[in-house]
Amino acid sequence: MSDKLLALVDGSIYSRSVCDHAAWLADRAGWGVEILHVIGRRDIGHLDLSGSIALGARSALLAELSELDETRARLSREKGRAILEDAEAIVRQHGVSSVSSRLMSGDLVETLVEAEAGAAIVVVGKRGEAADFAKMHLGSNVERVVRSSSRPVLVASRAFQPIQLVLVAFDAGPSVMKAIDHICGNRAFAGLDIRLLTAGNENAEVRAKLESVSARLRGAGHSVVAEVKPGQPEQVIADEVEKSGADLLVMGAYGHSRIRNLFIGSTTSEMIRSCKIPVLLFR
């Protein structure tokens, strides 16, 4: 049984939102929060200068480069500890008492495999420290985390807003059915309003699946609206996010319909980027 969630912070403007979303989930579910900051390999230092410089008269230069390398690594560690201290303080401000943090180094995805063990959900910001806001680039690490994590991943929007209405992009695939299980059985979602949306043509089978899931959600205490809308999933979902005033989008990262393709090809980032609200992804 998971009793914590994992929040990834990098010191960017999204780190505040990551902490706010993590605290919101943890407070409702009764989880603890573990905050992780990973120092990338380029910031670790340990340059291998052997063979790259003819020594002798240049040994002083080699020593200076080595010293700079050590200084950079030390500063990266100090910066990481400061980021974690700030993040812990934000989460505790929300009333979450069980908060811990870890400073790790190496490749983010490789580190995540170890760090996410025992976590119910991984929370990551939509864009990271190096994101280019002018070009609206998605953080390069976001897609890597979404594709590699074995846990549900909450991609936090730039700012946290209280969540009451949850839009579920429903295609009846295994991934979105896991999401339904999660919503029904997790205290974090208790009492939230659910809107089920299927993109495509309506038929008896689609309607029957929607009604079955709606009944299950109502049995778990949720207010439910279910509908089918024609059109391309990415456009239908994006339009409904805007029109419905949803606070959270829930999707299966791998489904059995055209939605599936959104999360395999390059349009993965496009879908997450287009939504101004947080996106919770299930595999």
Side-chain angles (χ1 to χ4, degrees), residues 39 42-46 66-82 103:
I39 301 174
R42 286 181 299 179
D43 298 318
I44 297 173
H46 307 302
S66 179
E67 183 177 347
L68 285 173
D69 186 40
E70 292 177 3
T71 298
R72 187 176 65 171
R74 177 178 55 78
L75 291 175
S76 293
R77 289 193 294 272
E78 291 181 2
K79 177 185 175 184
R81 284 192 286 270
L103 180 64

Side-chain angles (χ1 to χ4, degrees), residues 25-138:
L25 278 168
D27 185 48
R28 290 178 62 90
W31 292 328
V33 175
E34 181 170 44
I35 304 167
L36 174 67
H37 176 68
V38 179
I39 301 174
R41 288 197 172 110
R42 286 181 299 179
D43 298 318
I44 297 173
H46 307 302
L47 291 177
D48 181 7
L49 300 173
S50 61
S52 61
I53 298 175
L55 298 181
R58 295 174 180 159
S59 59
L61 175 59
L62 180 60
E64 188 173 353
L65 287 171
S66 179
E67 183 177 347
L68 285 173
D69 186 40
E70 292 177 3
T71 298
R72 187 176 65 171
R74 177 178 55 78
L75 291 175
S76 293
R77 289 193 294 272
E78 291 181 2
K79 177 185 175 184
R81 284 192 286 270
I83 289 172
L84 290 173
E85 288 176 3
D86 289 348
E88 279 200 44
I90 293 171
V91 174
R92 292 187 190 280
Q93 286 173 2
H94 288 274
V96 179
S97 58
S98 179
V99 186
S100 61
S101 62
R102 272 204 282 180
L103 180 64
M104 301 180 73
S105 58
D107 179 78
L108 174 61
V109 169
E110 293 173 3
T111 305
L112 180 63
V113 173
E114 174 189 344
E116 71 176 9
I121 291 177
V122 173
V123 185
V124 62
K126 181 183 290 188
R127 296 184 179 88
E129 187 180 27
D132 185 338
F133 281 88
K135 297 179 180 179
M136 297 300 286
H137 280 173
L138 199 61

